[in-house]
């Protein structure tokens, strides 16, 4: 998105998307102002659980360290594989000094933690504003510590990234170091986006049953164990927030398989079918593999549908998961979408999702917090999906909420998690009805 | 650069937020990038506030840098004032905005806003949260206090006091305030003002109307109190009423400044702590070795209570705030230990391990250190997590505070009679070292062998009256359903805290379906079946 696309100042209006698109353009409300969202550093919280040989060193301020500890809750104590190199006044005095200091901190860290095999130097707002060159630092330190430790860098700063975009930045830093798949190699499938192990295994099993032999995952459970990439790679996005990573993969010749995101019965079926088609799998076989999970998910969702049908929902921007989740709630549970806010709308990746939205759904990109809250108060949806900074205050105003971060930490993709996903939305409503005080 | 996983204090602008959130009709315009709003959830989640903190963040982005960040700041400030109509605003920069060198003070001054603007200089790369709170409160008082509002001579009227220091996110500030008000009522002292908690900017203007100040939390209020001393000639009570002895001194000090009779307040019979501590069951507390760490005020108070009111031996004392280290050093000398002044949690962990205490009193961080080391622990100071903002009344100050402290500190220890029994039945399997102490079993690492299978339990049950509490009691029929290896592996991927439920549900489902074997499919069929 270019700067020109953003409405200036805080003047909100219903802007018509004038970008050429395959489908008739949907009006998107683009807003700019205070944003109540996390920065990309927060991605570390789940990424370090996924990549078990990696360590994330944020180069930032006390605020960054405080954010990580607030977001990580109690996890911070179980020998965490992340930390902050807190810049102090003397680091700000001169650049040379800061690089030396960074070397000292990294050397000390690697001495203490010989188990680390990949180290991410993660940029923050302060390190970017003073233009501390972390790419250079990663190169310099990498030369010293290779082959034992590979040192990479990416930015998780708030000025550049919103929440899940931290994962995008991290994965796109991994793409250049993925081994090359020879140009004449047979087609291979790559699942892109970190998924809980249990979900990843379900998908791998389904692809195996279809006969897709080689399936890689990015990120891999070991950051040093990366899948190959090349012109033979066909990749499926498991998450909607991976724009940079997709571009980096395309840069290495990989091609995206266009599909809905794998939420709910329809999303998961479409996602699996798209892969089967791309690999020339016999349609009957693909359907046969999909059928049991599909039926199970449909059965489980049927139990929850009465609780959610007809309920009105608003999403405030948080993770970019909003659009596919809203599609799932609308199509499969009969919820009515009032406003679907997203921090950033990747029009190409989400085109098929958006096509399924009803005509009256208000889609908004970016945020002007106070104005958006005014709309929530006027709309009075049955349930509002929002961050933890807003959830209790909205409950205090008598609005039922679902806190959004849980959607990023819980297993929600695939057939066997469809009902869990619906339950996340049904539970606050059920609770509201249960409490008599 | 300092390598840190945990920080005892946030950055100084979080301190400013604590003051702003505590007050009413004050708004904070914070020049900050996207993401700094994370701090809101400290207030809405940990303290469970039902309102958003009164903070507007400018949320500048990379593409704004070097261009219109100053304009963004002014727009945000103008909008915030129009929307929230505060009586005053405070303006400042977070760590990143400090680097881009917009000048919130100058920018807002140039705007001619219809309310007083209080600019804050909070050096993020040198100072921390408590300093930020103190500086913010001081600047608010200095700017808003109306110097023409001064107290009239006492004559026959009741004495008036300001209570200074309680903030948002303060450890037990809400309840401490209740206790202090109770004491002042018994002494016949009127409260002129409580600040920052609950005060409006207009309230602050008449701060000079009090005869004296009560500094409850020096970390936050000392700076302002010193200025008030100079400007309005208001003396301050600096005794911290945490503990029975300290509460008595506090009452005496307040009574003296107020010219009141301390007897009714001293005779408050709600103080059970002295008798509890003298009762024979407490004898075993004698010379228990205790390690204390926290903010300076709470650490020093805790050390005195430990020594003088519970008969513990203080084997370590420290604080994370350099600003108030002097008091901690003096108290450490009285305890005969080396003071530990550090904000490095690894140094604290080393010191605790070296001191080998029987009880740790500290912050949330020490709780986790103690858990790892298998030592009982109680929380005495911020930073704390959500459970230390309790629904029930639980002050630290005053006589009721002393009652609360007695209970809180003693509970993690094994009680006297229990300790005796443990020693007597040491060889008994239930009292083995591996079983851990009953009161902190949930917190200490379990060294015991893996939980017995139901079959092993049956044999154990033969020699034992009651089943072990930790083992889930299943009322399912002892039908042997076989798990395939694949399904069993899958089950292990489910988080441990719901795994038991998943196993039971799946087995019940298999039984109801008449299945002899539980396959992967059965596992997920059952999951779908039980989906609500």
């Amino acid at each position: 998105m270019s700067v020109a696309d953003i409405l200036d100042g805080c003047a909100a209006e219903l802007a018509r998307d004038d970008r050429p698109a395959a489908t008739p353009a949907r009006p998107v409300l683009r807003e700019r102002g205070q944003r109540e969202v996390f920065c990309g550093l927060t991605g570390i919280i789940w990424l370090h659980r996924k990549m078990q040989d990696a360590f994330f060193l944020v180069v930032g301020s006390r605020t960054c360290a405080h954010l990580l500890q607030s977001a990580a809750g109690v996890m911070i104590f179980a020998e965490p594989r992340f930390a902050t190199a807190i810049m102090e006044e003397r680091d700000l005095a001169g650049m040379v000094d800061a690089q030396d200091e960074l070397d000292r901190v990294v050397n000390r860290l690697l001495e203490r933690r010989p188990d680390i095999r990949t180290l991410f130097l993660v940029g923050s707002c302060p390190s970017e504003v003073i233009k501390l060159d972390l790419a250079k630092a990663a190169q310099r330190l990498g030369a010293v510590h290779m082959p034992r430790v590979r040192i990479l860098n990416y930015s998780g700063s708030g000025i550049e990234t919103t929440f899940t975009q931290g994962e995008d930045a991290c994965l796109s830093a991994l793409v250049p170091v993925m081994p090359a798949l020879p140009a004449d190699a047979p087609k291979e499938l790559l699942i892109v986006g970190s998924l809980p192990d249990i979900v990843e295994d379900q998908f791998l099993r389904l692809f195996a049953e279809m006969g897709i032999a080689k399936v890689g995952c990015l990120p891999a459970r070991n950051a040093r164990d990366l899948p190959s990439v090349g012109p033979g790679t066909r990749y499926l996005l498991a998450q909607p927030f991976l724009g940079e990573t997709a571009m980096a993969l395309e840069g290495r010749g990989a091609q995206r398989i266009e599909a809905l995101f794998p939420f709910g019965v329809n999303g998961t079926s479409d996602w699996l079918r798209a892969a089967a088609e791309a690999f020339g799998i016999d349609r009957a076989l693909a359907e046969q593999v999909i059928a049991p999970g599909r039926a199970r998910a449909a059965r489980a969702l049927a139990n929850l549908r009465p609780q959610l049908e007809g309920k009105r929902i608003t999403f405030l921007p948080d993770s970019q998961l909003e659009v596919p989740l809203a599609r799932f709630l609308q199509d499969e549970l009969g919820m009515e979408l009032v406003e679907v806010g997203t921090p950033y709308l990747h029009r190409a990746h989400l085109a098929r999702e958006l096509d399924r939205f009803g005509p009256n759904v208000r889609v908004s990109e970016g945020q002007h917090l106070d104005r958006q809250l005014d709309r929530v108060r006027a709309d009075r949806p049955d349930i509002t999906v929002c961050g933890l900074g807003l959830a209790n205050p909205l409950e205090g105003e008598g609005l039922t909420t679902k806190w959004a971060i849980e959607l990023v930490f819980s297993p929600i993709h695939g057939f066997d998690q469809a009902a869990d996903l619906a339950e996340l939305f049904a539970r606050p409503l059920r609770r509201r009805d249960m409490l008599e005080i | 650069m300092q390598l840190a996983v945990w920080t005892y204090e946030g950055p100084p602008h979080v301190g400013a937020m604590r003051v702003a959130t505590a007050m009413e009709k004050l708004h904070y315009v914070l020049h900050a990038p996207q993401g700094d709003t994370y701090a809101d959830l400290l207030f809405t989640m940990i303290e469970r506030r039902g309102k958003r903190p009164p903070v507007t963040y400018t949320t500048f982005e990379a593409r704004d840098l070097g261009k219109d960040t100053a304009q963004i700041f002014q727009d945000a400030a103008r909008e915030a004032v129009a929307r929230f109509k505060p009586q005053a605003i405070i303006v400042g920069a977070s760590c990143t905005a400090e680097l881009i060198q917009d000048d919130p003070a100058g920018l807002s001054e140039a705007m001619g806003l219809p309310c007083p603007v209080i600019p804050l200089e909070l050096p993020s790369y040198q100072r921390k949260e408590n300093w930020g709170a103190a500086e913010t409160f001081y600047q608010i008082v200095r700017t808003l206090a109306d110097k023409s509002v001064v107290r009239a001579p006492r004559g026959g009227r009741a004495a008036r006091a300001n209570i200074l220091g309680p903030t948002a996110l303060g450890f037990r500030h809400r309840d401490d305030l209740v206790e202090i008000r109770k004491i002042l009522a018994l002494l016949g002292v009127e409260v002129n003002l409580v600040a920052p908690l609950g005060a409006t900017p207009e309230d602050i203007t008449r701060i000079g109307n009090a005869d004296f100040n009560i500094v409850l939390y020096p970390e936050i209020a000392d700076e302002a109190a010193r200025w008030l001393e100079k400007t309005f000639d208001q003396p301050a009570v600096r005794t911290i009423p945490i503990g029975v002895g300290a509460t008595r001194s506090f009452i005496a000090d307040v009574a003296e400044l107020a010219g009141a009779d301390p007897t009714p307040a001293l005779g408050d019979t709600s103080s059970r702590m002295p008798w509890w501590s003298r009762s024979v069951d407490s004898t075993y507390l004698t010379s228990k070795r205790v390690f204390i760490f926290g903010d300076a005020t709470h650490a020093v108070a805790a050390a005195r209570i430990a020594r003088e009111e519970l008969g513990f031996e203080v084997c370590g004392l420290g604080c994370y705030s350099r600003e108030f280290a002097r008091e901690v050093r003096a108290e450490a000398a009285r305890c005969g230990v080396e003071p530990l002044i550090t904000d490095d949690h690894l140094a604290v962990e080393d010191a605790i391990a070296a001191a080998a205490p029987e009880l740790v009193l500290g912050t949330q961080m020490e709780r986790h250190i103690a858990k790892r080391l298998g030592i009982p622990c109680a929380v005495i100071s911020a930073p704390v997590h959500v459970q230390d903002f309790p629904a029930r009344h639980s002050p630290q100050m005053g006589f009721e505070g002393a009652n609360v402290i007695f209970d809180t500190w003693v509970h993690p220890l094994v009680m006297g009679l229990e300790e005796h029994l443990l020693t007597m039945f040491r060889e008994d399997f239930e009292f083995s070292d591996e079983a851990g102490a009953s009161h902190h079993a949930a917190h200490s690492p379990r060294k015991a062998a893996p939980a017995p299978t139901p079959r092993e339990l049956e044999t154990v049950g033969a020699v034992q009256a009651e089943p072990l509490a930790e083992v889930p009691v299943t009322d399912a029929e002892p039908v042997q359903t076989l798990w395939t290896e694949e399904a069993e592996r899958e089950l292990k991927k489910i988080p441990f805290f719901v795994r038991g439920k998943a196993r039971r549900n799946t087995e019940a489902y298999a039984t109801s379906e008449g299945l002899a074997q539980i396959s992967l499919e059965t596992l997920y069929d059952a999951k779908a079946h039980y989906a609500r």
Side-chain angles (χ1 to χ4, degrees), chain A residues 32 89 101 304 416 420, chain B residues 1 40 64 126 527 532:
Chain A
R32 160 112 194 241
E89 186 148 62
E101 280 288 290
L304 284 148
D416 288 307
D420 298 342
Chain B
M1 281 180 197
D40 281 0
D64 304 320
Q126 294 167 32
K527 187 163 187 272
R532 294 207 284 182

Side-chain angles (χ1 to χ4, degrees), chain B residues 71-349:
Chain B
Q71 185 63 46
I72 290 175
F73 175 84
Q74 289 191 322
D75 289 345
R78 193 174 296 113
E79 265 195 87
V81 170
R83 178 176 281 267
F84 298 104
K85 302 190 172 52
Q87 291 174 356
I89 63 169
I90 54 179
V91 299
S94 79
C95 51
T96 305
E98 191 182 331
L99 296 174
I100 61 176
Q101 298 182 331
D102 288 333
D103 171 23
L107 288 171
S108 41
E109 200 179 324
M111 291 168 63
L113 292 168
C115 66
V117 177
I118 304 158
L120 300 175
E121 286 289 342
L122 305 176
S124 308
Y125 298 91
Q126 294 167 32
R127 304 292 192 164
K128 289 179 279 189
E129 180 178 329
N130 278 338
W131 188 89
E135 173 69 10
T136 304
F137 184 50
Y138 163 66
Q139 292 296 349
I140 289 173
V141 168
R142 221 186 72 144
T143 312
L144 296 177
D146 183 343
K147 288 192 183 142
S148 69
V149 179
V150 287
R151 61 191 189 271
R154 269 293 293 280
R157 70 169 169 85
R160 278 195 300 264
N162 295 318
I163 302 177
L164 305 181
T167 59
L169 265 192
F171 176 65
R172 309 298 166 87
H173 287 193
R174 176 197 71 191
D175 300 340
D176 284 348
L177 194 54
V178 173
E179 294 306 308
I180 298 306
R181 281 181 183 277
K182 232 187 306 189
I183 290 172
L184 295 185
L186 286 168
L187 293 171
V189 175
E190 275 176 14
V191 177
N192 178 58
L193 177 68
V194 177
L197 193 62
T200 64
E202 269 172 29
D203 292 338
I204 302 280
T205 58
R206 43 178 192 81
I207 200 165
N209 213 13
D211 296 300
F212 61 96
N213 291 311
I214 295 172
V215 180
L216 277 194
Y217 307 101
E219 275 86 351
I220 291 149
D222 202 52
E223 181 90 26
R226 272 188 283 125
W227 183 81
L228 290 167
E229 210 150 19
K230 222 167 49 199
T231 312
F232 292 98
D233 196 26
Q234 289 169 329
V237 176
R238 288 194 162 80
T239 319
I240 309 297
I242 301 180
V244 173
T247 300
R248 286 179 185 150
S249 311
F250 174 83
I251 290 169
D253 291 352
V254 173
E256 195 186 321
L257 282 183
D261 176 12
T263 326
L266 288 173
D268 185 336
T269 50
S270 65
S271 177
R272 268 169 240 111
M273 201 261 226
W275 165 243
W276 249 240
S277 191
R278 281 175 193 282
S279 87
V280 291
D281 193 53
S282 297
T283 313
Y284 79 104
L285 298 175
T286 313
S287 300
K288 284 254 188 221
R289 291 164 53 77
V290 54
F291 189 101
I292 300 170
F293 195 84
D295 68 29
T297 300
H298 286 88
V300 168
R304 289 192 185 142
I305 297 171
R307 282 191 298 131
E308 297 168 2
E309 304 182 11
L310 289 167
F312 288 152
E313 181 194 330
V314 176
C315 67
L317 177 64
C319 75
Y320 54 78
S321 37
R322 236 171 308 154
E323 288 91 344
F324 291 82
R326 203 197 311 177
E327 287 83 342
V328 174
R329 289 207 176 90
E331 181 61 27
R334 281 190 283 273
C335 298
V337 295
E338 271 298 305
L340 175 68
I341 314 297
T342 181
D343 60 356
D344 179 354
H345 62 96
L346 294 174
V348 178
E349 179 157 355

